[in-house]
Amino acid sequence: MRKISETSPRDLGRDEATISGSGPPGSAQAATSATQSPRSHRQLSAGLASAADIAQQEAVAFQASLLALPTVQLGGLPITVIDRPKAARLMIAAARRHIRSSRPYYFTSANGDVIAQARANVDVAVLFSEADQIFADGQPLVFASRLLCRTHLPERVATTDLFHDVAKLAEQEGTTFYLLGSTEAENNKAVASVKARYPGLRIVGHCHGFLAGQALEKKLDEINALAPDILWLGLGVPREQIFVRDFASRLQNVGVIKTSGGLFDHIAGKVRRAPLWVQKAGFEWLWRALMEPRRLFWRYFTTSPQAIYAILRYSR
């Protein structure tokens, strides 16, 4: 768990000058400030320090509550025991509790393909171990928890569904989004679709996911300056986890980074969701393979046996 950085004396002093109403020499604000006693300044400083301390304590308490959330081991990964409504509220709360100037919270998701990749590649496993929360994005993980674990996952928390749960809450709370990923065309379509469905949602920015070099550097600075509460990051595994590892420290004004895989392609209508009965039966992966055979069939054909073995061997 990362350490929350405290407000610097320089920032605290800047806030104090703003609140105390100090202005240019000769201004009314400066005259009022000059008449204030040293005791008033000390009280103001104490109040600011107290507010900073309270915010710090609340952030630490929230981090402790994240650590206290129950998990189950599935295929060697710690999966959070949580349902979709609670996961949505958790993301809103994390965005609100995040202390600006500290690394954003990092939420990701796992399915059978992720478990297979993590077992086959220790580097991928490490990338997922750095996450603050890992949600179950596959119905087979829910079934496996009921067979192999003492605690059962209540339901699947698919990112394609979770996004809409969070968006509804964000409209009410004023939580802001940034959408980063997919191609430029699909990203634009996804943003248009989201704005039409949630007119009260504040999307402060969006961009495709094919950036490198100077363009990427500028985009990171732009995102940090826009300070979205939640950055939805759709680059695919493990590119999006590598992005978090390499660049999260430069996005300290972002509240939460939620990895999103092919979310934007779904929202844009490029990729159809499986029928609900297929999702509940745990065969959406097969549906996806049939929809995109060139890209997914061989991948799922090779990773599914690895995932089954890992789940049977490393679950509790």
Side-chain angles (χ1 to χ4, degrees):
M1 183 63 64
R2 58 185 175 276
K3 181 181 179 182
I4 292 290
S5 59
E6 299 181 0
T7 304
S8 69
R10 179 181 299 176
D11 292 337
L12 195 59
R14 186 185 303 115
D15 291 341
E16 179 179 343
T18 302
I19 295 172
S20 65
S22 59
S27 66
Q29 292 94 334
T32 302
S33 178
T35 61
Q36 291 178 341
S37 67
R39 180 178 180 182
S40 297
H41 283 293
R42 288 196 298 270
Q43 290 174 337
L44 181 57
S45 297
L48 288 169
S50 177
D53 289 343
I54 291 173
Q56 179 77 11
Q57 292 169 5
E58 289 179 346
V60 171
F62 181 76
Q63 284 194 345
S65 71
L66 286 181
L67 288 172
L69 288 173
T71 62
V72 293
Q73 288 286 327
L74 283 168
L77 293 179
I79 308 298
T80 304
V81 180
I82 196 169
D83 59 25
R84 267 178 43 205
K86 289 181 180 178
R89 291 194 295 271
L90 181 66
M91 286 188 59
I92 296 292
R96 185 170 58 246
R97 294 295 185 187
H98 172 256
I99 297 293
R100 306 295 172 170
S101 76
S102 67
R103 184 176 180 272
Y105 288 108
Y106 162 33
F107 290 8
T108 191
S109 303
N111 54 20
D113 181 58
V114 167
I115 287 175
Q117 290 193 50
R119 294 309 305 178
N121 188 332
V122 66
D123 292 334
V124 174
V126 170
L127 291 171
F128 277 86
S129 71
E130 296 294 324
D132 292 294
Q133 300 295 316
I134 304 176
F135 299 142
D137 200 344
Q139 187 63 27
L141 298 189
V142 178
F143 293 154
S145 74
R146 295 171 183 172
L147 294 172
L148 304 171
C149 304
R150 294 180 181 178
T151 303
H152 300 166
L153 294 174
E155 65 175 331
R156 176 191 184 194
V157 184
T159 305
T160 43
D161 298 318
L162 178 64
F163 177 87
H164 297 288
D165 298 332
V166 179
K168 292 173 186 175
L169 293 176
E171 270 193 309
Q172 302 168 13
E173 300 287 340
T175 305
T176 58
F177 284 7
Y178 191 106
L179 278 58
L180 177 62
S182 191
T183 65
E184 183 173 9
E186 299 307 324
N187 185 282
N188 288 335
K189 289 179 183 178
V191 170
S193 176
V194 172
K195 287 182 176 180
R197 187 166 181 176
Y198 307 103
L201 178 64
R202 292 178 57 204
I203 299 178
V204 297
H206 65 97
C207 184
H208 64 84
F210 297 91
L211 297 169
Q214 194 62 31
L216 176 58
E217 295 293 321
K218 290 181 179 179
K219 187 58 62 176
L220 291 170
D221 291 338
E222 175 191 303
I223 295 172
N224 196 51
L226 290 169
D229 294 312
I230 300 175
L231 169 61
W232 296 90
L233 182 64
L235 303 178
V237 177
R239 282 186 62 211
E240 53 199 20
Q241 286 74 26
I242 293 172
F243 180 98
V244 174
R245 180 197 65 192
D246 292 345
F247 304 120
S249 61
R250 293 183 53 181
L251 299 173
Q252 297 188 359
N253 290 327
V254 175
V256 176
I257 297 177
K258 174 63 180 76
T259 63
S260 308
L263 170 67
F264 306 138
D265 289 345
H266 282 288
I267 296 176
K270 179 182 178 182
V271 178
R272 290 172 52 198
R273 288 294 303 276
L276 189 59
W277 70 268
V278 175
Q279 296 179 39
K280 290 184 176 181
F283 290 111
E284 187 165 19
W285 63 272
L286 181 57
W287 170 274
R288 290 188 61 199
L290 293 174
M291 292 296 101
E292 301 179 83
R294 291 185 178 181
R295 188 174 75 88
L296 296 177
F297 182 81
W298 181 252
R299 189 174 95 186
Y300 286 166
F301 180 78
T302 56
T303 60
S304 292
Q306 298 175 37
I308 292 170
Y309 172 78
I311 289 172
L312 292 174
R313 179 69 177 81
Y314 302 105
S315 298
R316 63 178 185 274

